[in-house]
Amino acid sequence: MKRRPLTGRGSGCLLSGILLIVAANAAAARPLLYLGVLLVALPLISLLIVRMPRRRADVARRISTDLLAVGETSQVQVRFDLYSIGIPNGTWRDTLPPAVSGDATGDYPGDALSLRYDLTGVRRGISTLGPLILRTVDPFGLAQREQAFGDTRTVTVIPQSVALAPLPTKVGAAGGTAQTRSSRIGQGADNLIPRPYSSGDSRRRIHWRATAHRGDLMVRQEEEEASPDAMVVLDRAADRWDRPGEEPDAAFEAAVTLCASVALRLAADGYSVDVVDISGTQLGALRGHEEDREDLMVALAMIGPRGEPHDLRSIVGSTPPGPLVLITGRLEGEEAERLTTVGAAAPLLFAASAEPEALAAASAHGWNTALLPADADIAQTWADALPVSKAAHA
């Protein structure tokens, strides 16, 4: 909100001066005229004091974390250098978007300022932090000036991720377990086997003992464990969720939180994870690299309900994954009857809301199901849907 050039005191002083001038002319009272002119002049002089100096400033911000999760607190450090004739005192505030909250205000002492404040993620999304606003007031408190300095800084608020329990057993594609495969890259586990030297292989990888034994140049080759496949599908079809308004749909936010948490849980368990929406658009792929996690979180920070429902068969393809996690919104009974697990070894279904017979129908088709309301305990909801391992029955 843009402030008026005069403070409340300044406006009162100006109004009083005008009334005194009018009264002095009506009563022919010269002393009142002098006083009225003085009261009118003071606010005008104060305006010149605060608005005449030309000012420029350098603003540098640094946030302790590049990606801020919902509910997470980070610290912002701001360096503010003001260049002006007659450095004023005043107050500062940093402009915060609705996606974050914090007490980004304080007193400006009139010289270079190094300030810090805490920033808490409130809502997923990518928004801008800044500019920095400096408010100064003249010594009499009659006039004020607000001026914006510095560029804005992008702040990315990613979904919250919740620690989840692992699956009872580790399953691979089509119900199998992890297998080993050869790697020609020279990176992997410590299980070494020799193979014939090929053009381009590093001399540092020569396996001297195998070379001496076979009489031909041999190099080391590792065996690495092949990660079984897992897929997480976020059904963000528009008609599954409430229409977005000023406030985000709490049920959809819970779904995004579960989606992020499940993907990280499966990746931590050694799965090669693909995260897609219901149209088949890939939101992220976790293959054991830190940048994969960041890319997925940024993608999940920006998504919202959109598009039309699609058949799950067209998304999964001909090779079913081991774990298949489907997160959807409203689930009707007829849709649940048509919902197939497409051959996944561990299919789990989460719905924000469902007709009474919908989850039962999905369970009859092999799904492990659970409701995911807006206020759900994410970790408990996940645990409720986990399939019971065979060892648990032994």
Side-chain angles (χ1 to χ4, degrees):
M1 183 180 64
K2 189 175 182 180
R3 294 181 182 269
R4 297 177 180 178
L6 293 179
T7 64
R9 182 186 300 177
S11 299
C13 181
L14 180 62
L15 180 60
S16 299
I18 294 174
L19 292 177
L20 284 176
I21 291 174
V22 173
N25 288 329
R30 190 174 294 272
L32 290 180
L33 179 62
Y34 294 153
L35 182 58
V37 171
L38 177 62
L39 292 179
V40 169
L42 277 176
L44 299 179
I45 294 173
S46 297
L47 279 174
L48 293 176
I49 291 175
V50 297
R51 292 189 169 269
M52 282 294 291
R54 299 185 61 182
R55 301 173 186 170
R56 64 181 183 87
D58 293 329
V59 179
R61 293 181 186 83
R62 187 173 63 182
I63 306 176
S64 59
T65 55
D66 293 332
L67 301 178
L68 181 65
V70 173
E72 182 184 6
T73 298
S74 181
Q75 189 175 78
V76 181
Q77 299 181 14
V78 183
R79 175 71 183 182
F80 180 49
D81 295 299
L82 179 66
Y83 307 98
S84 172
I85 299 175
I87 303 297
N89 292 322
T91 58
W92 64 269
R93 76 174 189 277
D94 215 2
T95 307
L96 302 184
V100 297
S101 65
D103 184 13
T105 60
D107 294 327
Y108 180 69
D111 53 8
L113 179 66
S114 180
L115 56 99
R116 297 181 181 182
Y117 61 88
D118 290 334
L119 199 66
T120 302
V122 175
R123 183 186 303 176
R124 288 183 305 111
I126 298 177
S127 50
T128 54
L129 188 66
L132 190 139
I133 307 295
L134 178 64
R135 176 179 178 264
T136 55
V137 181
D138 72 287
F140 302 105
L142 302 178
Q144 60 187 353
R145 180 183 185 182
E146 273 198 355
Q147 198 170 359
F149 295 101
D151 297 328
T152 58
R153 164 72 186 269
T154 298
V155 56
T156 302
V157 181
I158 61 176
Q160 181 184 23
S161 59
V162 179
L164 302 179
L167 289 173
T169 56
K170 187 172 183 180
V171 291
T177 56
Q179 304 294 323
T180 58
R181 67 170 180 260
S182 297
S183 169
R184 300 193 178 190
I185 303 175
Q187 296 178 354
D190 294 331
N191 301 322
L192 302 179
I193 57 174
R195 64 170 174 81
Y197 175 84
S198 298
S199 177
D201 286 334
S202 172
R203 291 273 179 174
R204 291 177 297 177
R205 302 196 55 75
I206 294 177
H207 196 304
W208 293 110
R209 187 171 61 181
T211 298
H213 178 71
R214 298 195 181 185
D216 295 321
L217 200 59
M218 306 292 291
V219 295
R220 298 182 183 91
Q221 172 180 285
E222 286 87 352
E223 287 186 347
E224 63 180 11
E225 188 175 278
S227 298
D229 294 330
M231 179 174 286
V232 182
V233 182
L234 178 61
D235 184 357
R236 56 181 183 133
D239 60 356
R240 306 280 196 209
W241 310 93
D242 292 338
R243 293 180 179 273
E246 293 185 3
E247 294 296 325
D249 181 1
F252 186 75
E253 296 305 306
V256 174
T257 297
L258 178 62
C259 178
S261 304
V262 170
L264 296 180
R265 173 72 266 174
L266 295 176
D269 290 342
Y271 291 99
S272 177
V273 185
D274 287 308
V275 182
V276 299
D277 67 10
I278 198 62
S279 68
T281 302
Q282 189 172 70
L283 303 175
L286 301 181
R287 301 291 187 267
H289 304 290
E290 182 61 28
E291 57 268 24
D292 293 345
R293 179 187 183 278
E294 294 183 359
D295 291 345
L296 171 62
M297 287 303 191
V298 171
L300 292 178
M302 298 184 293
I303 65 171
R306 73 166 194 180
E308 300 293 332
H310 284 71
D311 188 355
L312 201 57
R313 294 186 185 88
S314 63
I315 300 170
V316 175
S318 58
T319 304
L324 171 63
V325 181
L326 173 61
I327 305 169
T328 187
R330 285 183 289 270
L331 182 64
E332 298 179 356
E334 293 182 1
E335 295 170 328
E337 287 286 356
R338 299 191 300 268
L339 195 58
T340 174
T341 62
V342 293
L348 293 96
L349 169 66
F350 299 88
S353 62
E355 294 181 350
E357 69 278 9
L359 291 185
S363 297
H365 287 293
W367 290 94
N368 299 278
T369 65
L371 278 176
L372 181 69
D375 57 351
D377 182 329
I378 301 295
Q380 186 59 51
T381 301
W382 167 257
D384 292 343
L386 288 181
V388 179
S389 67
K390 295 180 180 178
H393 292 290

